[in-house]
Amino acid sequence: MTTKLSQLKQDFTEGLSQISRFWGFPKGMGAIFAVLYLSPAPLPLDEIVTQTGLTKGAVSTEVRTLARMGLVHRSSRLGDRKDYYEAESDFYKSIRSILKERQNSEFDRAVRSVQETLEKLESGSVSGDEAEVAFVHERVKALQEFFNAIDNLASAVIKLESLGFGNVTKILSVLK
Amino acid sequence: MTTKLSQLKQDFTEGLSQISRFWGFPKGMGAIFAVLYLSPAPLPLDEIVTQTGLTKGAVSTEVRTLARMGLVHRSSRLGDRKDYYEAESDFYKSIRSILKERQNSEFDRAVRSVQETLEKLESGSVSGDEAEVAFVHERVKALQEFFNAIDNLASAVIKLESLGFGNVTKILSVLK
DNA sequence: TATTACGTTTAGTAATTACTAAACGTTCTA
DNA sequence: TAGAACGTTTAGTAATTACTAAACGTAATA
């Protein structure tokens, strides 16, 4: 039993949409990426619109955030005022740029607030039951250290030239 | 200038709530975890209710998913029919159990659908422009390999006794 | 200068998700 | 056996997020 390529593409797109949603991104974003990822040539916005069934507005904004994440690239051609988009196919590259993106976000602000909490505790300026303050201090400190570990890991990954297969297997062997 | 412990706790809780939302979990979940994490003793549901301002129903369901993730533990005492909850303080342990949790989820289903797409392509049963089929094949394969790499990494982490400081620094040195 | 071909913004709607309030079931106590 | 003290479920609401439709801005073309 044979499958039409167009059908296959559609299934694939559906799959990526769900994956996208799973990671907390709009499912339309996954669909857009899928369409670009399976296209041999860069596509103009209009083409993405017809292939995903989303509106111009939606594609316009979501493709922009994809670009900011480094998952797609925008380009233009001389004498053609359309923008063309194509998917980044090196996923390790994408991961790095997503991590980078996340570093200057909401998340970082929240992490810093934990840092501030810790500083107050270190400076001894917190009033309350002594034993409980000590306990809280210890806990907050542990959390902060955990965040630091994660952060170091992320930074290291970002700095890498490439997180290719070799590196992954190296990591795996260390973890054995 | 001194800060009251109660105020500090509240700030901390606020911070964790945001972090929780950032990772796609309800912010109430972060708040519940924060309250438990800063409590020297296990707390009954009612106490969580008063400290977070959520309702019994909400706390009941969210504390359960926290437990499933291994971020909190439920216990009970003889001659007391309240349940008591306490936070897991070993975050590496938590990470492992979250990863485990994620492995049997929606996500895995979606990943498998990519696998199926690939199998169809491998079996040569896809009809359409030959060159394009070849291109799509290559791309889908690359994506699948990427997923495998991630999956291997996750599995390795899960199997670890402990992802303590030592291991993290080892990983870091490999990535240099 | 008017028209067309684009991408962006905006204001509103649909869909989803987080939560509340209250009914419910069970187990213990009187 | 009634009542109280729990945790759970359910049905509905509030808040958030994803998206649509359409107005808009800009630059190229006639």
Side-chain angles (χ1 to χ4, degrees):
Chain A
M1 201 265 161
T2 72
T3 315
K4 282 213 197 86
L5 180 58
S6 56
Q7 177 62 45
L8 188 107
K9 279 181 165 183
Q10 216 167 300
D11 294 350
F12 179 85
T13 301
E14 177 60 28
L16 276 203
S17 298
Q18 284 180 243
I19 290 174
S20 175
R21 258 202 28 199
F22 183 82
W23 289 108
F25 302 108
K27 85 177 206 275
M29 218 171 104
I32 293 171
F33 181 81
V35 163
L36 292 174
Y37 185 67
L38 293 188
S39 164
L43 299 178
L45 196 138
D46 258 0
E47 188 57 30
I48 305 175
V49 167
T50 61
Q51 289 198 36
T52 57
L54 300 173
T55 58
K56 258 199 315 172
V59 174
S60 171
T61 59
E62 309 222 321
V63 96
R64 189 151 15 115
T65 82
L66 278 169
R68 223 181 37 230
M69 286 181 172
L71 279 162
V72 312
H73 304 290
R74 184 195 304 239
S75 61
S76 40
R77 300 169 181 179
L78 304 88
D80 183 347
R81 57 206 180 73
K82 282 183 199 149
D83 288 343
Y84 289 84
Y85 298 93
E86 66 189 316
E88 170 62 61
S89 58
D90 180 345
F91 294 110
Y92 302 104
K93 217 169 173 179
S94 300
I95 281 198
R96 290 202 307 281
S97 86
I98 289 173
L99 287 179
K100 221 182 251 165
E101 172 78 7
R102 293 219 157 172
Q103 278 201 330
N104 344 329
S105 65
E106 292 292 308
F107 180 64
D108 226 42
R109 251 190 59 237
V111 169
R112 258 195 298 279
S113 99
V114 171
Q115 175 65 39
E116 278 164 32
T117 304
L118 183 58
E119 277 160 16
K120 279 182 193 151
L121 285 159
E122 313 262 69
S123 75
S125 71
V126 177
S127 67
D129 176 76
E130 197 176 325
E132 200 184 349
V133 170
F135 175 82
V136 166
H137 185 174
E138 181 201 314
R139 287 261 155 139
V140 173
K141 195 170 167 189
L143 181 60
Q144 179 63 35
E145 271 163 12
F146 174 73
F147 282 156
N148 279 342
I150 297 285
D151 204 58
N152 285 337
L153 198 62
S155 301
V157 170
I158 289 172
K159 272 182 208 126
L160 276 182
E161 274 305 290
S162 119
L163 180 57
F165 234 33
N167 275 322
V168 171
T169 38
K170 259 198 261 175
I171 293 173
L172 290 178
S173 68
V174 170
L175 295 180
K176 270 279 145 40
Chain B
M1 203 262 164
T2 73
T3 315
K4 283 213 197 84
L5 181 58
S6 56
Q7 177 62 43
L8 188 107
K9 277 181 166 185
Q10 217 168 301
D11 293 350
F12 179 84
T13 301
E14 177 60 28
L16 275 204
S17 298
Q18 284 181 244
I19 289 174
S20 176
R21 259 203 27 200
F22 182 82
W23 289 106
F25 302 108
K27 83 178 209 271
M29 218 172 105
I32 293 171
F33 181 82
V35 163
L36 292 174
Y37 185 67
L38 294 189
S39 163
L43 299 178
L45 195 139
D46 258 0
E47 188 56 30
I48 304 176
V49 167
T50 59
Q51 288 198 36
T52 58
L54 299 174
T55 58
K56 257 199 316 170
V59 174
S60 171
T61 59
E62 309 222 322
V63 95
R64 189 154 12 117
T65 82
L66 278 168
R68 222 180 41 230
M69 287 182 174
L71 279 162
V72 313
H73 303 290
R74 184 196 303 239
S75 61
S76 40
R77 299 168 182 180
L78 303 88
D80 183 348
R81 55 204 182 74
K82 282 182 199 148
D83 290 341
Y84 288 84
Y85 299 93
E86 65 188 316
E88 170 63 61
S89 58
D90 180 344
F91 294 109
Y92 301 105
K93 218 171 174 176
S94 301
I95 280 197
R96 290 203 307 280
S97 85
I98 289 173
L99 286 179
K100 223 181 248 164
E101 172 79 7
R102 294 220 156 170
Q103 277 202 329
N104 344 329
S105 66
E106 292 292 309
F107 180 64
D108 226 42
R109 251 189 60 239
V111 168
R112 258 196 299 280
S113 98
V114 170
Q115 175 65 39
E116 279 163 33
T117 304
L118 183 58
E119 278 160 14
K120 279 181 194 152
L121 284 159
E122 312 263 70
S123 75
S125 71
V126 177
S127 67
D129 176 75
E130 198 177 326
E132 200 184 350
V133 171
F135 175 82
V136 166
H137 185 174
E138 180 202 316
R139 287 261 154 138
V140 173
K141 195 170 166 188
L143 181 60
Q144 179 63 34
E145 272 163 12
F146 175 73
F147 281 156
N148 279 342
I150 297 285
D151 204 58
N152 286 338
L153 198 62
S155 301
V157 171
I158 289 172
K159 274 183 206 122
L160 275 182
E161 274 307 288
S162 116
L163 179 59
F165 233 36
N167 275 323
V168 171
T169 38
K170 260 199 257 172
I171 294 174
L172 290 178
S173 68
V174 170
L175 295 182
K176 270 278 147 39

